[in-house]
Amino acid sequence: MSSSSSSTGSSDPGRVPFVDLAPQHLAIAEQIAPALERVMAAGCFTDGPDVEAFEEAFASFCGARHAVGVASGTDALELALRASGVQAGDEVIVPANSFAATAEAVVRAGAAPVFVDVDRDSLLIDPERVEAAITDRTRAVVPVHLYGQLAPMVELEALARRHDLALVADAAQAHGATADGAGIAAGVTAAATSFYPTKNLGAYGDGGAVLTDDPAVAAHARSIGHHGVEGDRSVHVRVGFTSRLDTVQAVVLRAKLEHLERWNRERAAAAARYDELLADGPGLRPPVTRVGNRHVWHLYVVRVDDRDRVLVELGERGIGAGVHYAGPLHRQQAFAPWRGSAHCPVTDAAAASVLSLPMFPGITAAQQVRVVAALSDVLPSRTAAGHRHPVA
Ligand SMILES: Cc1ncc(COP(=O)(O)O)c(C=O)c1O
């Protein structure tokens, strides 16, 4: 789970849930029932033509030559790293501000995560910090397209070329995002994404995909997820495990993919509405979109003082908010062996102040007005001079 508040839906019309998946389900309900009946009747539950059809459609949507469906976003990242050549003894640079899965996948690939800080405006990985962290053991960098916008790929691609590193993007939160028109699979060795139910493209359970233009990387990732077979199903050329996208999920995802552009536009409209409502409202720091980016607003993340109190008081007013992320990766017990001398003051400050407001396709203007009214209730207002209350 990627959020500390992934509660969905609400039966009380006065409440605003953090995420409501019901409008998405309604959009595909009629289409999905007969498709699922067909899968049940055919009895083909893994691999097969429905999975292939989704992989093709998703690759085309992302502008990639290949998409490999797998069992989760975390698996997708591990497989993408391994297929990109990451192995035991390597170092892989990751941003400290991300979900645990980013670093878990590195460890599962046998490598050591090296945590670097993020940019103070976008909260995305900072290329200068990446450059400073490179050693002769560095094999790859994982830009995380956090909250729904691309990391600074032009700088990272140049850096990867200079140092001969693989770029393996964590695009779990960025289906449909672009930078200067280039999508999540452009310029990288591979990208990994998640179909966790609350993602912009979410399954009815877990799922993920590896995206790449390189047929060898795609074949390698697929092989790992099929017990290391290559070609003949009885020939195991490497040690793998089971990681496939279920047919049921492929059918759901293919139906949802047809709506994704519209849903992303609805998210963008909701983000613009928050921008407007918050402009003269409570003292907080709004999200920053990098120039040239098409943000797909998986999350609308503001920064506030006294965040934990604000979160509780919003909850008391019926507003479901989230925190992404309260625990920087370099401070997690799980990653203590790889903490090294990680120094990430921007991530540390963000962890204490980030607050994700309700965001989902179908959120209404009235719901957003309620969110902002509740924020105005619990936050100090702007100063008389009209400046925002300073927030780290
Ligand atoms: C940034 C990020 N990376 C990786 C993942 C892992 O995806 P999954 O939960 O499908 O394993 C997630 C989602 O939870 C995520 O938000």
Side-chain angles (χ1 to χ4, degrees), residues 219-220 222-224 226-238 240:
H220 191 154
R222 196 180 293 284
S223 161
I224 299 171
H226 289 74
H227 298 283
V229 296
E230 216 168 83
D232 189 319
R233 284 184 80 94
S234 63
V235 178
H236 301 263
V237 300
R238 54 178 65 85

Side-chain angles (χ1 to χ4, degrees), residues 1-2 72-75 77 98-99 101-102 144 146 170 172-173 194-196 199 206-207 325:
M1 216 161 53
S2 65
S72 72
T74 311
D75 280 4
L77 207 45
S98 188
F99 182 53
T102 309
V144 180
L146 202 66
D170 180 340
Q173 302 186 0
S194 162
F195 303 125
Y196 180 74
K199 298 294 193 242
D206 284 305
Y325 294 93

